[in-house]
Amino acid sequence: MEAIIESQSSYSASLKMKVVLFLFGVYCIYSAFSAFEIYKIIVAVVAFYGIVYKKKIYVSSNGLVREVRGVLGTSVEVLPWEDVKGVTIVYKGDSMMAFFEKGITGWKILFKREDERLLRELLDKHAPDAEVTVVSNVRSRPKRR
């Protein structure tokens, strides 16, 4: 599926963090075999899992897509446009949180504020019956003391 809008909720470790996790995992395996401690092998496996873990959330022409890649494979979950009953949008600073309602549950996804126009166009095209509600249209201000 092609990503039209990618969410800010997507996550992947940076290259620097992947190097640190790899070195830490190698150290744990080395020290586990030299001292025969099984818990260090478990910690090393978790470190290696952090290297390959990647979460990507995006909007496509098929609907909302959540891909999670890990050691055991890739999991893809899709919320089709037909299932979207309503969208609630909340703004804060340069970010926009959209809650896509599917019955009484749904998906909460963080976008950039400038993605709103394209998101509304996609909603009009693919989910015309979905009710769009805006909760707040105020930019956040620093707190006064």
Side-chain angles (χ1 to χ4, degrees):
M1 284 179 262
E2 181 182 333
I4 298 173
I5 307 172
E6 187 166 344
S7 168
Q8 289 183 317
S9 302
S10 299
Y11 173 78
S12 178
S14 66
L15 180 61
K16 187 188 305 184
M17 180 56 77
K18 288 180 181 183
V19 169
V20 169
L21 287 171
F22 177 76
L23 294 174
F24 180 70
V26 169
Y27 168 75
C28 286
I29 289 175
Y30 171 75
S31 65
F33 285 122
S34 65
F36 299 109
E37 296 171 319
I38 191 73
Y39 75 91
K40 290 184 180 179
I41 293 175
I42 295 170
V43 172
V45 168
V46 171
F48 291 136
Y49 181 77
I51 293 171
V52 298
Y53 179 82
K54 182 177 184 179
K55 178 176 82 170
K56 184 177 179 182
I57 301 173
Y58 58 91
V59 178
S60 73
S61 58
N62 297 343
L64 306 163
V65 181
R66 181 184 300 145
E67 291 180 8
V68 178
R69 188 181 77 180
V71 175
L72 300 176
T74 302
S75 166
V76 179
E77 188 178 353
V78 179
L79 176 61
W81 288 115
E82 304 84 56
D83 292 350
V84 176
K85 303 299 181 212
V87 179
T88 304
I89 298 174
V90 180
Y91 302 103
K92 184 169 183 180
D94 294 335
S95 298
M96 173 184 75
M97 180 68 69
F99 179 72
F100 296 88
E101 301 170 28
K102 174 187 169 184
I104 59 170
T105 62
W107 289 16
K108 178 178 67 169
I109 303 176
L110 184 66
F111 296 102
K112 296 176 196 162
R113 193 175 180 123
E114 56 264 14
D115 292 335
E116 179 193 8
R117 183 187 56 77
L118 183 56
L119 181 62
R120 284 186 184 260
E121 287 176 9
L122 290 169
L123 285 168
D124 289 341
K125 181 178 178 183
H126 297 290
D129 296 335
E131 180 183 338
V132 179
T133 307
V134 177
V135 174
S136 171
N137 196 7
V138 180
R139 290 198 180 264
S140 62
R141 298 180 190 149
K143 293 182 180 179
R144 294 183 186 177
R145 291 187 177 217

